[in-house]
Amino acid sequence: MSALYLRVTDLGVRYGETVALQEASLEINQGERLALIGESGSGKSTMAMAVAGLLPRGASVIGTLDFPVLGHSLRLGRDVGVLFQDPDGSLDPVMSVGDQIAEVAMMHQGIGWIAARVHAAELLGHVQIARPLTRLNSYPHEFSGGQKQRIALAIALAGNPSLLIADEPSSALDTVVQRHVVNLLDELVRERGMTLMFITHDIALASERADKIGVLYQGRLVEFGPAAEVLGSPRHAYTRALINTHISLDTPHSKRLPEIDKAGLV
Ligand code: ADP
């Protein structure tokens, strides 16, 4: 059995008056893939960003995050790489993609400029950008949406992190490209023995790609456990409804599942 990578205990997050997350506890082992699922506004991003240490200023946090394998608190870029839904938010439009990847590698791996450029070309190759040496000097606007997401992945990997957090890394892309990005992400995480926390609206994807699943409902982690258990014999009515109805998790809360709300499940 692999070592415990992350223990979250009674995590709670508020943005002013809004309680975004309450009493969430979970554990992930090194090399495991955790999928967080739940409808929009249920607290998935808040949970992921709390783990990455990327909550906005003004958010108040209670509870504890332990990273026993690291033996210290998580360092952004070095220990954790983050991949966001919209790659344009993580790419600098006026800097070549090679420089952007190399900069992160230099900062977090303590290597020089030339080694960092070589590493950048390797990473571009790993994320399946053709002719990586030539493309080092290209700018983000010269790539398609799917390629930009893969370049953002190369940047997230450049510090050689042990944890990758992906916040709906593929939902802005078309279905074929989405599958490609997710397959690649999965392959790279496995090859590198990284721990993965990913957010998805796609329950089929979670069942295919996750070792553990956490279901969030109105700021509470209502279900957490091995993927096969959560999906095979869900304990919570919300998870059962999710599986049975194949509802789109994008649908606003007010238009969905009134019977669940009435039941007062949380
Ligand atoms: P999800 O990722 O599941 O869509 P979020 O974690 O983004 O959910 O949001 C959880 C709750 O916190 C929602 O009610 C949302 O409106 C609120 N929220 C998220 N980010 C902020 C913020 N920066 N300021 C205020 N409220 C926020």
Side-chain angles (χ1 to χ4, degrees):
M1 176 138 168
S2 50
L4 179 64
Y5 186 87
L6 166 66
R7 182 189 295 114
V8 176
T9 313
D10 292 335
L11 185 65
V13 179
R14 301 172 73 110
Y15 303 102
E17 294 296 299
T18 307
V19 179
L21 193 67
Q22 295 186 71
E23 295 171 1
S25 299
L26 56 79
E27 293 189 347
I28 325 175
N29 291 333
Q30 199 163 18
E32 274 184 337
R33 298 160 303 168
L34 166 70
L36 293 178
I37 62 175
E39 63 195 339
S40 285
S42 58
K44 304 181 299 296
S45 296
T46 298
M47 172 118 201
M49 292 307 123
V51 170
L54 277 177
L55 286 173
R57 258 173 221 277
S60 44
V61 186
I62 53 167
T64 54
L65 299 167
D66 295 310
F67 298 91
V69 169
L70 298 180
H72 53 74
S73 56
L74 202 71
R75 297 162 301 183
L76 187 63
R78 175 67 194 90
D79 301 308
V80 59
V82 182
L83 190 62
F84 296 98
Q85 185 171 347
D86 174 14
D88 287 322
S90 356
L91 298 175
D92 183 339
V94 296
M95 195 175 182
S96 74
V97 299
D99 285 356
Q100 293 185 54
I101 303 169
E103 198 173 64
V104 176
M106 280 171 69
M107 192 187 308
H108 295 296
Q109 294 198 45
I111 54 177
W113 181 241
I114 294 182
R117 292 277 294 187
V118 171
H119 188 54
E122 278 168 11
L123 278 170
L124 279 184
H126 288 168
V127 298
Q128 298 174 358
I129 300 292
R131 297 179 293 110
L133 268 177
T134 321
R135 300 314 298 272
L136 279 181
N137 298 319
S138 301
Y139 289 82
H141 73 268
E142 298 173 62
F143 295 91
S144 69
Q147 286 174 324
K148 281 195 274 194
Q149 189 56 288
R150 283 183 275 131
I151 291 163
L153 175 57
I155 295 173
L157 296 174
N160 211 10
S162 49
L163 173 67
L164 187 71
I165 294 185
D167 189 347
E168 291 182 71
S170 57
S171 60
L173 308 171
D174 75 55
T175 342
V176 176
V177 182
Q178 267 182 39
R179 285 270 152 187
H180 184 198
V181 169
V182 173
N183 288 341
L184 181 65
L185 186 67
D186 191 44
E187 215 173 276
L188 289 173
V189 163
R190 279 166 178 270
E191 267 169 24
R192 292 165 169 252
M194 293 170 78
T195 306
L196 174 69
M197 181 185 282
F198 71 105
I199 292 174
T200 182
H201 276 97
D202 185 342
I203 205 162
L205 192 71
S207 99
E208 280 168 41
R209 300 289 174 189
D211 303 300
K212 285 182 175 165
I213 292 182
V215 180
L216 281 144
Y217 183 68
Q218 296 186 349
R220 289 185 187 266
L221 188 67
V222 293
E223 189 129 33
F224 170 71
E229 242 171 64
V230 169
L231 298 176
S233 47
R235 272 175 291 193
H236 198 278
Y238 176 65
T239 317
R240 285 197 291 275
L242 216 58
I243 296 165
N244 292 339
T245 56
H246 297 285
I247 43 169
S248 162
L249 297 174
D250 280 321
T251 312
H253 179 255
S254 55
K255 294 191 186 147
R256 301 196 24 248
L257 291 178
E259 73 284 9
I260 296 284
D261 293 340
K262 271 188 232 143
L265 289 162
V266 289

